[in-house]
Amino acid sequence: MSELGLNTISFAGRAAASSQFKATYAEGMSLVEETAAYLDGPGRAAAKVLPRMASVLYAAESMRLTTRLMQMASWLLLQRAVNNGEMSRDQVLAEKNKVRLDGFNVDRNAPGWNDLPEAFRDLVERSLRLQNRIAILDREIYRPNDAEIVPDNENSVQAQLNLLRTAFTPS
């Protein structure tokens, strides 16, 4: 370890190429397939008998769900491509700017939410949990190099005193 404590290991970078990533990838792709099957089958039938308010909410939430899943699948495919050497990190950075891993939250207090089919609500909840895990992994893997973590062992009081000395020391 260096004097400043800056010798850190990127666990996220290693995790992205590990069995953990492979499991996340499999989970994400499986959730995409499961959701598509549900929305085309049981979900379509269930949506036809929903009360009006829940029916409108179902339509909106199913669009958000599919958009969220497609964004996550895009990220997973990009990460798999870089892991397999099919794309460079720079290529992935350029492409991943098109991927949104946030902003698809759900209002569980919206009128009609509790009338939505339980299987649908379960898919939404699982997609949100997976989205959160992927967003955390993304931030860790693609954090800019200049945004390195400042070591916690630096004395913040001493740093402030140094700033004051610099400010009040005659030149």
Side-chain angles (χ1 to χ4, degrees):
M1 183 126 302
S2 74
E3 283 181 32
L4 298 176
L6 295 177
N7 289 343
T8 59
I9 297 171
S10 172
F11 290 108
R14 293 183 191 275
S18 71
S19 59
Q20 176 191 5
F21 172 76
K22 291 175 184 161
T24 302
Y25 179 87
E27 180 184 354
M29 295 306 168
S30 174
L31 188 56
V32 167
E33 290 176 18
E34 182 182 348
T35 301
Y38 175 81
L39 293 175
D40 285 342
R44 187 179 308 263
K48 290 180 181 179
V49 297
L50 290 174
R52 175 146 173 71
M53 188 64 78
S55 179
V56 171
L57 182 61
Y58 180 89
E61 289 302 327
S62 63
M63 290 297 291
R64 285 188 193 102
L65 174 61
T66 55
T67 301
R68 181 182 315 114
L69 288 170
M70 291 301 101
Q71 294 295 308
M72 288 188 295
S74 295
W75 187 91
L76 290 166
L77 288 167
L78 285 170
Q79 188 59 45
R80 186 182 74 171
V82 77
N83 289 349
N84 292 340
E86 298 164 1
M87 293 178 78
S88 72
R89 182 179 166 93
D90 289 338
Q91 289 172 317
V92 169
L93 284 171
E95 288 300 314
K96 84 171 215 65
N97 287 332
K98 301 171 189 170
V99 176
R100 288 190 56 212
L101 294 173
D102 59 355
F104 298 108
N105 291 325
V106 173
D107 182 4
R108 292 168 189 88
N109 295 319
W113 176 259
N114 292 327
D115 294 328
L116 296 176
E118 186 176 339
F120 178 76
R121 288 182 290 158
D122 179 61
L123 289 169
V124 169
E125 294 299 332
R126 289 170 44 209
S127 73
L128 289 168
R129 286 192 301 270
L130 182 61
Q131 175 191 26
N132 187 46
R133 289 195 339 253
I134 290 172
I136 290 168
L137 191 56
D138 179 71
R139 283 191 300 272
E140 290 299 316
I141 294 170
Y142 296 103
R143 176 186 355 201
N145 289 336
D146 60 344
E148 292 296 325
I149 299 172
V150 176
D152 289 334
N153 60 355
E154 183 179 337
N155 185 333
S156 59
V157 173
Q158 186 61 46
Q160 289 297 314
L161 289 172
N162 289 340
L163 285 173
L164 288 170
R165 273 192 214 102
T166 302
F168 293 108
T169 301
S171 29

